[in-house]
Amino acid sequence: MTTLAGPAPPPEPPAPSREPRPRPLTERLGRADRVFHRVAAGAGAALFLLLVLIGFFLLLRSAPALRTAGFGFFTTIEWRTDVDPPVFGVLGMLSGTVIVALIACLVAIPVSLLAALFITEYASARLRDTLTGVVDLLAAIPSLLYGLWGMAYLNDRIVPLSRWLADNLGWIPIFSTRAEAELTGSMFIAGLIVSLMVMPITTSIMREVFAQTPPGEKEAALALGGTRWGMIRNVVLPFGRGGLVGGSMLGLGRALGETIAVKLMLPQVPILSGHVLENGGATISGFIAHNAGANEKITGALLAFGLVLFAFTIAVNLVASWIIARSRSGSGVDA
C-alpha cells in the first residue's frame, strides 16, 4: 500500500542574530539647529559685508586725495595743507606706527609668554582663576587711562632709562641721541605704554592655546623623567607654537591701531627717524585723531591715511589667522 506524501514544509526562517548591530547615524538637524545655523551664517555674512563697506567707504572718500598726491603719497614725509595743491604723505606716519608697534610687541610678547606659562603650568587652581580674571580685567581698562597715566606719571620716570640706553648702547643706531635731545614724548615711551595694552590680548590667547595641550603627552614627558621645564620646552611650546605666533601677530595688529594713548604721548609731527629715544614722531591713528574735524581736503587726506592703516591691519590679522589655522594647536578650529 502506498501513501502519497504532501508538499514539503517551507524552510524555517533563520533565527535572528543576537549580536548587537550599530544603529545607523543620520545627520538630521532639528529646528533649533537650523535656526541657529542660519543666524550664525547671517552674522558672519553681516560682519564680512560691514568690513567690505568700511573699506569701500575709505577708498571712495580718499580717492580725490590719492589722485592729488599720486604715487608720492607713499614716499612723502611732509604734511603741508597751506599750499595749493597740498603736500602730504604717509611714509613718516607709517614708519612711526610700525616702530611704536614693534617696540610694544618686543616688550609685551616675552612678558605675555612667561605669564601664560605660569598661569597654565605653575599656578594652583585658585591662583590660576584669580590671575585669569586679572588679565581679562586689564583688557577692559580704556586706552585713555593708559595714555593719561603715561603722560602724567610714566613719561618723566622713563627718562633715566632712556638716558642709560643712550649712554651705554648709543653705538646702536636706534639708541643714539643728539647732545641736548629731549627724551620725553618719544616713540620708545609710547611703545612701552602700548605694550601694557597688548599684554592682556597676547596673554589670553597664549594661555588658551597652552591649556589645550594634551594631558597625556605632558604626563608621558614627566613619566620619562623629564623636568617640568623640559616638559614645557618639548611638549607645551611646540604644541602652542601656532598660538604663540598668532597671538603675537594679533597683538601687533592691536598695537598698530592704538589711537588715544599714542596721541597723548607723541607730538604727532611726521618724521622719518630711527632715533626712538628722542622726542618726536607720529602714528597714523594718532595723527588722524589729532587733526580730525578739519576741512574737506584735510579730511580726505586723513581718510587716505586711514585706508593705509586699515589695509595694513587687515593683512596682519589675516596672516595671524593663517598661521593659527595651519598649526597643530589650531588644527580643527578653522575648517
Side-chain angles (χ1 to χ4, degrees):
M1 181 176 182
T2 60
T3 59
L4 298 176
E12 297 183 0
S17 175
R18 297 182 179 273
E19 296 181 1
R21 295 181 179 179
R23 186 178 63 181
L25 298 178
T26 58
E27 184 180 356
R28 297 180 62 185
L29 298 179
R31 182 178 179 183
D33 294 325
R34 291 194 299 269
V35 171
F36 177 77
H37 180 270
R38 291 169 184 171
V39 171
L47 290 176
F48 179 76
L49 178 62
L50 180 62
L51 192 67
V52 172
L53 290 176
I54 291 174
F56 180 75
F57 169 79
L58 291 174
L59 182 61
L60 182 66
R61 294 293 300 273
S62 62
L66 291 174
R67 283 195 297 266
T68 300
F71 186 75
F73 175 76
F74 299 99
T75 59
T76 303
I77 303 172
E78 188 178 6
W79 167 266
R80 290 195 60 187
T81 57
D82 56 343
V83 296
D84 192 19
V87 178
F88 55 87
V90 75
L91 181 59
M93 287 171 282
L94 183 60
S95 66
T97 302
V98 173
I99 290 174
V100 171
L102 289 179
I103 293 174
C105 289
L106 288 175
V107 175
I109 291 173
V111 177
S112 299
L113 173 61
L114 295 176
L117 288 176
F118 178 79
I119 292 173
T120 56
E121 302 299 333
Y122 290 95
S124 61
R126 184 175 181 179
L127 182 59
R128 185 182 304 119
D129 295 338
T130 302
L131 292 177
T132 301
V134 170
V135 171
D136 295 337
L137 183 62
L138 288 175
I141 298 177
S143 59
L144 175 62
L145 298 183
Y146 282 108
L148 291 174
W149 175 71
M151 181 179 63
Y153 179 82
L154 192 64
N155 204 0
D156 295 330
R157 287 167 175 79
I158 294 296
V159 171
L161 175 60
S162 300
R163 197 171 304 280
W164 183 89
L165 291 173
D167 294 339
N168 295 274
L169 300 176
W171 52 273
I172 302 177
I174 61 173
F175 294 132
S176 62
T177 59
R178 291 169 293 183
E180 299 297 332
E182 184 180 355
L183 301 183
T184 58
S186 64
M187 290 185 285
F188 173 69
I189 300 177
L192 294 180
I193 298 298
V194 175
S195 69
L196 299 178
M197 292 178 277
V198 171
M199 286 179 192
I201 298 174
T202 54
T203 302
S204 297
I205 294 175
M206 294 178 189
R207 176 181 58 81
E208 289 293 338
V209 174
F210 292 156
Q212 297 176 11
T213 306
E217 296 186 13
K218 296 164 62 176
E219 294 171 359
L222 295 174
L224 291 174
T227 61
R228 183 175 293 272
W229 166 241
M231 179 269 295
I232 293 174
R233 187 178 67 250
N234 295 306
V235 178
V236 178
L237 290 179
F239 177 84
R241 185 181 295 113
L244 173 61
V245 177
S248 302
M249 297 191 69
L250 290 176
L252 176 61
R254 170 70 175 86
L256 290 171
E258 176 50 39
T259 304
I260 298 300
V262 200
K263 175 186 179 297
L264 296 175
M265 294 302 302
L266 295 177
Q268 300 305 326
V269 177
I271 59 173
L272 187 62
S273 173
H275 303 289
V276 299
L277 301 179
E278 295 183 1
N279 178 277
T283 63
I284 294 178
S285 56
F287 191 85
I288 292 175
H290 185 73
N291 295 276
N295 57 48
E296 186 176 352
K297 289 184 178 180
I298 295 178
T299 301
L302 296 179
L303 288 172
F305 298 153
L307 178 63
V308 173
L309 181 61
F310 177 79
F312 197 71
T313 306
I314 290 295
V316 170
N317 285 277
L318 287 177
V319 172
S321 300
W322 181 83
I323 292 175
I324 294 176
R326 282 156 180 76
S327 66
R328 185 187 174 197
S329 52
S331 59
V333 177
D334 294 325

